[in-house]
C-alpha cells in the first residue's frame, strides 16, 4: 500500500478531461476495443469489493463493459455511466444497465452506491468535479477506486517501439513512448489523488499495485494498437506505417513477447461528508 503525496501535479496528463473529442474516439470501433483490450486481475477486483461496505457498484466510463464484467461476475450489482452512446450500446448488449451522460453532469436521481469504480477512464473526468460527484453518491465508508493497466514491454522492444513512433510522429507525445509502466503515469496518479483530497470528502488516497503479465503474438499486439488513445485519429497511411514498423520490431524479437502489466488503483473511502441531506 502506498499513500499518495499531497502535492498537486502539474503533469499535462491531468488535463486530458478537456479533450472530449479524443475521449470519445474509442467508440469508433467498440468491437475491436472489447476484443483486444486487456482485462483486470482478479486480486484487484477482490480487494476493491472487500474494502467496500456492500456490492452496489457504479462504473464510470463503463465503455464496452470490460471493467464491469469482473465485478458482476463476483456478485455485484453494476450500473454504468458512459459518455459515448456507441460504447454504452455495446455494454448494454452485454447485459449491463448503462446511462449515457458525462459523469460530472450525470443525475443519480437519489441513488447511492458502495463503490464507484472506473477502469482506464478517470483521466477523462475532471479530477475534482468527478471526485465530488462520487462522494455525493457513495454511502459512508463507500470506496472510490479508479484504475489503469500500465504496461511495459521488454526494454529492447520498448526502445524499438519508441523509435518507430519517433520516426513517424516526431515531437508528439507518442514519440516518447507510453512504455515505462506506472512511472510513465505518475503525474496522472498524483493528480487523481489530489482531486480526491480537494473534494474534501475522502480519507487519504492510496495507491495499490497488482503486477501480472501476458504474452502477445505479433498479430495480437497489432490488433490492439489502433485502440490506444489518439491512434484512431491518425491518417490511414500513418497508422499503416506505424503498424508495419511495430510489427517488424516484434518479428525481430522472435514474433512474440511478454508484456508486463501493473494495474494501478488510486483509491480512498468516503467520509460521508458532501452527501445530499435527505428529509
Amino acid at each position: 500500500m502506498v499513500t499518495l503525496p499531497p502535492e498537486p501535479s502539474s503533469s499535462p496528463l491531468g488535463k486530458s478531461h478537456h479533450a472530449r473529442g479524443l475521449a470519445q474516439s474509442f467508440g469508433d470501433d467498440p468491437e475491436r476495443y472489447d476484443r483486444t483490450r486487456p482485462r483486470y486481475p482478479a486480486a484487484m477486483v477482490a480487494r476493491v469489493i472487500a474494502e467496500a461496505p456492500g456490492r452496489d457498484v457504479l462504473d464510470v466510463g463503463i465503455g464496452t463493459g470490460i471493467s464491469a464484467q469482473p465485478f458482476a461476475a463476483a456478485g455485484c450489482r453494476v450500473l454504468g455511466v458512459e459518455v459515448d452512446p456507441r460504447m454504452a450500446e455495446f455494454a448494454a448488449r452485454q447485459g449491463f444497465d448503462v446511462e449515457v451522460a458525462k459523469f460530472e453532469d450525470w443525475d443519480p436521481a437519489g441513488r447511492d452506491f458502495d463503490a464507484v469504480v472506473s477502469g482506464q477512464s478517470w483521466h477523462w473526468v475532471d479530477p475534482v468535479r468527478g471526485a465530488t460527484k462520487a462522494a455525493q453518491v457513495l454511502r459512508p465508508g463507500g470506496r472510490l477506486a479508479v484504475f489503469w493497466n500500465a504496461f511495459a514491454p521488454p526494454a529492447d522492444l520498448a526502445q524499438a517501439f519508441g523509435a518507430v513512433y519517433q520516426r513517424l510522429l516526431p515531437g508528439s507525445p507518442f514519440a516518447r513512448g507510453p512504455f515505462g509502466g506506472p512511472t510513465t503515469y505518475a503525474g496522472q496518479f498524483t493528480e487523481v489523488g489530489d482531486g480526491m483530497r480537494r473534494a474534501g470528502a475522502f480519507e487519504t488516497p492510496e495507491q495499490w499495485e497488482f503486477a501480472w503479465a501476458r504474452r502477445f503474438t505479433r498479430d495480437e499486439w497489432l490488433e490492439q494498437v489502433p485502440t490506444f488513445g489518439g491512434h484512431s485519429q491518425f491518417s490511414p497511411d500513418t497508422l499503416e506505417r506505424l503498424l508495419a514498423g511495430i510489427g517488424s520490431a516484434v518479428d525481430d524479437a522472435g514474433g512474440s513477447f511478454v508484456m508486463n502489466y501493473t494495474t494501478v488503483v488510486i483509491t480512498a473511502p468516503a467520509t460521508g461528508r458532501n452527501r445530499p441531506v435527505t428529509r
Side-chain angles (χ1 to χ4, degrees), residues 214-232:
R214 176 188 162 183
R215 177 170 292 278
F216 284 92
T217 66
R218 176 186 188 277
D219 290 346
E220 286 171 340
W221 186 246
L222 293 184
E223 190 176 22
Q224 185 181 148
V225 168
T227 73
F228 295 164
H231 283 51
S232 68

Side-chain angles (χ1 to χ4, degrees), residues 19-275:
R20 303 312 306 176
L22 180 57
Q24 292 182 251
S25 67
F26 298 97
D28 291 343
D29 191 351
E31 288 80 7
R32 179 196 289 263
Y33 188 97
D34 188 74
R35 183 173 64 250
T36 65
R37 280 296 187 113
R39 271 47 184 173
Y40 299 101
M44 183 273 289
V45 175
R47 184 167 182 188
V48 172
I49 293 172
E51 298 274 358
R55 298 204 169 196
D56 289 324
V57 174
L58 178 69
D59 187 340
V60 177
I62 190 173
T64 62
I66 292 173
S67 53
Q69 287 168 349
F71 288 95
C76 295
R77 296 168 291 276
V78 182
L79 173 66
V81 177
E82 171 58 49
V83 69
D84 190 325
R86 299 166 298 178
M87 298 288 258
E89 181 183 4
F90 190 101
R93 293 202 304 269
Q94 310 310 304
F96 292 106
D97 293 329
V98 185
E99 298 179 7
V100 178
K102 181 180 176 182
F103 179 60
E104 299 93 319
D105 301 328
W106 171 69
D107 181 6
R111 292 166 292 184
D112 56 11
F113 302 87
D114 299 300
V116 174
V117 304
S118 182
Q120 219 75 21
S121 300
W122 195 257
H123 52 289
W124 304 117
V125 176
D126 181 285
V128 179
R129 291 184 62 205
T132 300
K133 174 60 70 72
Q136 291 170 352
V137 302
L138 279 168
R139 295 164 186 152
R143 182 165 289 273
L144 174 58
V146 300
F147 43 90
W148 292 265
N149 282 322
F151 59 90
D156 56 346
L157 199 53
Q159 184 175 8
F161 287 168
V164 175
Y165 280 92
Q166 180 63 47
R167 183 176 71 251
L168 296 175
L169 300 161
S172 78
F174 300 103
R176 296 193 295 270
F179 311 121
T183 58
T184 304
Y185 304 99
Q188 175 177 301
F189 300 150
T190 300
E191 185 86 15
V192 170
D194 185 59
M196 294 180 186
R197 289 187 182 89
R198 292 171 63 189
F202 291 95
E203 296 181 17
T204 302
E206 301 170 350
Q207 181 169 319
W208 303 341
E209 296 187 1
F210 301 84
W212 55 286
R214 176 188 162 183
R215 177 170 292 278
F216 284 92
T217 66
R218 176 186 188 277
D219 290 346
E220 286 171 340
W221 186 246
L222 293 184
E223 190 176 22
Q224 185 181 148
V225 168
T227 73
F228 295 164
H231 283 51
S232 68
Q233 298 181 337
F234 297 159
S235 70
D237 177 65
T238 297
L239 183 59
E240 181 179 359
R241 290 190 290 157
L242 180 69
L243 294 176
I246 292 173
S248 294
V250 178
D251 286 340
D252 291 343
S256 69
F257 66 97
V258 174
M259 181 65 80
N260 297 304
Y261 284 96
T262 303
T263 300
V264 178
V265 186
I266 310 301
T267 181
T271 62
R273 294 190 294 271
N274 288 10
R275 280 177 52 81

